[in-house]
């Protein structure tokens, strides 16, 4: 029978120990924010942890793209105090500390995920869902008490939580969380490309995003990405010493696939070698599969992990996790099927993912991808034709002296805002505005949900103030935010 504590699903690991290890996980993360509330989950986590900081035990908390977790280890009594304190603070966040905590958050400058992973989610999903990992939003000083409280009330409920306990259950444990119905996650369509795509900007390194199935009993995708990561490490790190971090990030999707991002940072000057290592590892494995030795290593790592974790409870947590996130159920993991995996199986799963793969390389190394059939794409959709509407041009002086300004035009129509720049036409529909930022220098920055960004001001366009007024009339107040003063200082 499933166990519940104050409405929270409890998974109890029955190890023989006198101390208690607790992990309280909520099915909410950075991808459940919106552009004007980017960072709200992290801010809430800080506020809540500030109320239990003085407990003399090991405590920690994390917010990633999909989940928020609070962790503690210690005597059962102290762990019980921690859990009760966390839940009480989530039910009633100490928002009066928001201003103090903003400085701490700014100094921490914590990434939700690695910038290469964040960028690739942004290419895939634009300014929403996991794509928000890439964007700053209002910064910690721009979040309001109301936004923090509303986010806590919606997502940090008993129905959206799982408590994992190892060791004794604290006596009289109370988890004073609000109850109600389980909150539903928004899901967003992926940007479509005609085939494998690649994007290049200034982050030193290379990466690839692959969408792989995650419901089969042999967990082929997990093995395939493990083999791919080892191959990249082998060639980028050990081979030439060109790379010092090779790692991955993963976000499960509602359709039974996982977006895996494998990334390798590059030492200065080694961008070509690292890009080549990532591209060739991927394309070689997709063509020929791993060697028997590489496959055996991956299978050994799988066995080792099974031997050192509680497989039954791990499986139970996964079933629960899928339920909370609205993902399709998976076939139960079958160790026999895993052991029966052949090199061809891993090649097949990678090959199937290639048409929708998105590569990344430092811009000077993008050709490492294009020569393998990946097409370079821009960070956001770019079109060719400006729609018909009221047109705004840069001031005359700018057009005389700045070459790019001669082509630039901003157009306002009843449906959208559009701009022609050097690289082409970017459009933001009024009903697809993800947020509008008032920047420190007076510019108004419009973010479209598909990733397009349009800058408007009286300096950039003659009559630009009229466009700003149109934005104020058409875009809901809740979508507006100020640029962070921490960012403006940079
Ligand atoms: Zn665009």
């Amino acid at each position: 029978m499933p166990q519940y504590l104050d409405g929270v699903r409890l998974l109890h690991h029955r190890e023989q120990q006198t101390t208690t290890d607790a992990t309280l996980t909520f099915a909410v993360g950075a991808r459940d924010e919106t552009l004007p509330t980017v960072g709200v989950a992290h801010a809430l986590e800080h506020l809540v942890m500030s109320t239990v900081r003085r407990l003399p035990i090991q405590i920690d908390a994390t917010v990633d793209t999909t989940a928020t977790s609070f962790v503690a280890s210690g005597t059962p009594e102290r762990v019980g105090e921690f859990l009760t304190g966390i839940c009480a603070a989530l039910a009633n966040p100490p928002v009066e500390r928001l201003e103090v905590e903003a400085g701490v958050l700014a100094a921490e400058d914590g990434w939700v995920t690695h910038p290469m992973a964040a960028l690739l989610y942004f290419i895939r999903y634009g300014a929403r869902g996991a794509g928000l990992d890439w964007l700053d939003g209002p910064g910690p000083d721009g979040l309001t008490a109301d936004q923090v409280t509303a986010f806590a009330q919606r997502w940090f409920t008993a129905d959206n939580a799982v408590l994992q306990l190892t060791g004794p259950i604290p006596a009289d444990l109370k988890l004073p969380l609000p109850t109600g119905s389980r909150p539903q996650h928004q899901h967003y369509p992926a940007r479509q490309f005609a085939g494998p795509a690649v994007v290049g900007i200034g982050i030193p390194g290379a990466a690839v995003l692959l969408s792989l199935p995650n419901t089969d009993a042999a967990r082929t995708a997990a093995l395939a990405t493990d083999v791919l990561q080892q191959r990249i490490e082998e060639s980028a790190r050990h081979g030439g010493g060109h790379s010092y971090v090779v790692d991955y990030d993963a976000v499960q999707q509602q359709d039974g696939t996982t977006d895996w991002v494998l990334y390798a940072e590059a030492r200065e000057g080694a961008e070509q070698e690292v890009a080549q290592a990532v591209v060739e590892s991927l394309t070689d494995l997709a063509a020929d599969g791993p060697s028997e030795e590489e496959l055996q290593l991956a299978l050994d790592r799988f066995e080792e992990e099974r031997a050192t974790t509680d497989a039954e409870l791990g499986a139970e947590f996964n079933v629960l996790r899928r339920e909370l996130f609205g993902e399709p159920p998976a076939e139960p993991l079958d160790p026999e099927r895993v052991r029966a995996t052949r090199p061809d199986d891993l090649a097949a799963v990678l090959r199937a993912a290639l048409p929708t793969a998105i590569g990344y390389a430092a811009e000077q190394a993008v050709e490492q991808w294009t020569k393998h059939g990946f097409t370079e794409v821009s960070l956001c959709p770019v079109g060719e034709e400006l729609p018909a509407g009221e047109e705004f041009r840069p001031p005359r002086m700018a057009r005389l002296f700045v070459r790019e300004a001669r082509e630039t035009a901003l157009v306002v129509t009843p449906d959208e805002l559009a701009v022609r720049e050097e690289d082409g036409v970017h459009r933001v529909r009024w009903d697809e505005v993800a947020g509008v930022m008032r920047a420190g220098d007076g510019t108004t920055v419009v973010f479209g949900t598909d990733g397009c960004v349009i800058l408007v001001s009286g300096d950039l366009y003659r009559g630009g103030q009229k466009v700003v007024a149109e934005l104020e009339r058409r875009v809901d107040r809740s979508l507006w935010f100020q640029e962070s003063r921490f960012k403006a200082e940079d």
Side-chain angles (χ1 to χ4, degrees), residues 378-383 423 425-427 450-453:
S378 53
L379 263 66
C380 63
V382 185
D423 65 340
V425 173
H426 301 268
R427 306 165 79 141
D450 64 0
C452 283
V453 179

Side-chain angles (χ1 to χ4, degrees), residues 26-374:
F26 292 86
V28 57
R31 71 165 168 188
D32 298 302
E33 298 168 346
T34 60
L35 183 58
T37 62
V38 161
V40 68
H42 194 191
L44 176 63
E45 175 255 294
H46 268 235
L47 292 176
V48 165
M49 287 296 276
S50 74
T51 67
V52 293
R53 285 272 176 230
R54 289 177 180 283
L55 281 173
I57 56 172
Q58 269 193 312
I59 62 174
D60 197 8
T62 55
V63 177
D64 66 21
T65 305
T66 62
T68 302
S69 298
F70 299 92
V71 183
S73 295
T75 58
E77 296 71 30
R78 292 300 198 183
V79 171
E81 273 179 68
F82 169 82
L83 291 169
T84 304
I86 289 290
C87 292
L90 285 167
N92 191 10
V95 287
E96 64 282 356
R97 280 188 56 85
L98 197 51
E99 214 180 307
V100 178
E101 228 34 82
V104 180
L105 284 157
E108 186 179 295
D109 202 17
W111 294 333
V112 176
T113 182
H114 193 280
M116 281 189 265
L119 171 65
L120 289 174
Y121 297 144
F122 177 74
I123 305 298
R124 183 75 106 201
Y125 296 103
R128 53 193 178 174
L132 292 174
D133 287 359
W134 178 244
L135 299 169
D136 290 320
D141 52 330
L143 293 166
T144 66
D146 285 349
Q147 287 169 333
V148 173
T149 304
F151 195 78
Q153 281 171 353
R154 173 167 178 200
W155 294 104
F156 291 83
T157 62
D159 322 76
N160 203 36
V162 181
L163 175 59
Q164 298 183 81
L165 282 178
T166 307
I169 300 177
D172 303 321
L173 178 59
K174 295 275 180 293
L175 304 171
L177 289 167
T179 54
S181 59
R182 181 176 295 168
Q184 294 298 307
H185 297 269
Q186 290 277 324
H187 294 275
Y188 303 103
R191 187 173 157 201
Q192 302 292 321
F193 300 102
V198 58
V199 65
I201 57 164
I203 310 167
V208 65
L209 185 156
L210 300 169
S211 295
L212 303 171
N214 64 23
T215 55
D216 64 309
R219 301 294 189 270
T220 318
L223 281 179
T225 50
D226 187 16
V227 161
L228 176 55
Q229 186 180 336
Q230 298 309 317
R231 176 77 71 92
I232 294 169
E233 274 196 64
E234 199 60 37
S235 52
R237 186 193 286 168
H238 308 303
H242 299 303
S243 192
Y244 39 97
V245 173
V246 180
D247 208 342
Y248 77 93
D249 192 72
V251 174
Q252 287 91 357
Q253 299 297 330
Q254 192 194 25
D255 62 357
T257 64
T258 295
D259 288 335
W260 295 84
V261 175
L262 289 126
Y263 57 86
E265 293 181 357
R267 287 183 193 285
E268 211 185 320
E271 291 87 354
Q272 300 287 349
E273 287 83 353
V274 170
Q276 192 180 359
V278 173
V279 180
E280 290 183 357
S281 298
L282 173 63
T283 50
D284 288 357
L285 285 170
D288 304 325
S291 67
E292 290 291 346
E293 193 191 349
E294 285 174 307
L295 176 60
Q296 194 53 51
L297 264 169
L299 291 172
D300 289 347
R301 274 192 294 274
F302 166 78
E303 295 290 356
E304 187 64 23
E305 196 179 318
R306 264 179 67 77
T308 52
T309 54
D310 188 329
E312 198 179 312
L313 274 150
E316 220 180 314
F317 181 76
N318 271 321
V319 170
L320 216 51
R321 198 193 57 73
R322 285 175 182 275
E323 235 179 87
L324 286 173
F325 285 110
E327 294 163 23
E331 286 182 64
L333 176 73
D334 181 348
E336 282 308 314
R337 296 268 298 276
V338 177
R339 283 188 280 269
T341 303
R342 300 301 307 140
D344 279 352
D345 302 329
L346 301 190
V349 81
L350 292 174
R351 212 155 45 230
L354 277 183
T356 57
I358 308 175
Y360 169 77
E363 48 210 347
Q364 68 270 32
V366 162
E367 61 177 3
Q368 298 296 339
W369 287 98
T370 53
K371 68 186 180 197
H372 284 273
F374 284 67

